[in-house]
Amino acid sequence: MPIKQIQSTCAYCGAGCQIMFTVDQEANKILEAVPAPGRTNDGTLCLKGHYGWDYINDPQILTKRLKSPMIRKGGKDSPLEPVGWDEAIKFVSTKLTDIKAKYGPDSIMCTGSARGPGNEANYIMQKFARACIGTNNVDHCARI
């Protein structure tokens, strides 16, 4: 049974605690989560970090976890189809360009999350919104 340790960031709040998942690669299942050394959590986890990940393995989940980008190629009533990252990025880029051309840059909004990879990603997001799209429509959950 190939077991692997994968370090990640806990997704339950904006603290950014580091978490180490023990993964059974053959069964594609997380077996346990333990704290990993991190500046925020200092080698500890809250109850959600310790036990809140098990929903990933739940066979009763109504909407399965996405494993690749998906696009509705035949319009809004067509089923989602898995696509590669290059195609997905090109699709989004084309749609955003079309929306900006038709309705103007302020018709687009960007939002960040404290559950993401950190301040750097949020900085890039707001820079993209302002410099590339030309809008100040930027929001983040930390404003609450």
Side-chain angles (χ1 to χ4, degrees):
M1 173 163 72
I3 301 294
K4 185 176 182 179
Q5 299 288 324
I6 299 174
Q7 185 169 340
S8 187
T9 302
C10 183
Y12 272 103
C13 74
C17 297
Q18 295 301 291
I19 190 167
M20 186 71 71
F21 291 114
T22 303
V23 178
D24 177 347
Q25 291 181 292
E26 207 169 84
N28 198 24
K29 281 182 106 174
I30 295 175
L31 304 175
E32 74 171 340
V34 295
R39 180 174 283 176
T40 306
N41 57 313
D42 196 27
T44 63
L45 287 176
C46 70
L47 290 175
K48 290 183 284 186
H50 270 292
Y51 304 108
W53 52 268
D54 197 39
Y55 70 90
I56 296 169
N57 298 329
D58 186 351
Q60 301 298 317
I61 292 177
L62 297 176
T63 304
K64 296 294 181 193
R65 183 174 163 227
L66 295 178
K67 296 183 179 177
S68 70
M70 299 181 84
I71 295 175
R72 293 183 198 279
K73 291 187 175 183
K76 67 179 182 178
D77 294 327
S78 66
L80 288 166
E81 299 176 40
V83 296
W85 281 104
D86 288 343
E87 184 178 351
I89 291 168
K90 176 75 173 161
F91 178 84
V92 171
S93 172
T94 301
K95 292 290 185 182
L96 283 174
T97 301
D98 292 348
I99 291 167
K100 181 180 173 181
K102 186 173 182 178
Y103 301 105
D106 284 335
S107 64
I108 299 171
M109 179 197 165
C110 293
T111 185
S113 173
R115 292 183 178 185
N119 287 336
E120 293 82 4
N122 288 309
Y123 174 80
I124 293 297
M125 176 273 303
Q126 67 83 28
K127 194 67 165 176
F128 171 78
R130 293 183 170 110
C132 297
I133 295 175
T135 184
N136 283 324
N137 292 338
V138 176
D139 198 8
H140 188 281
C141 62
R143 69 174 167 74
I144 296 174

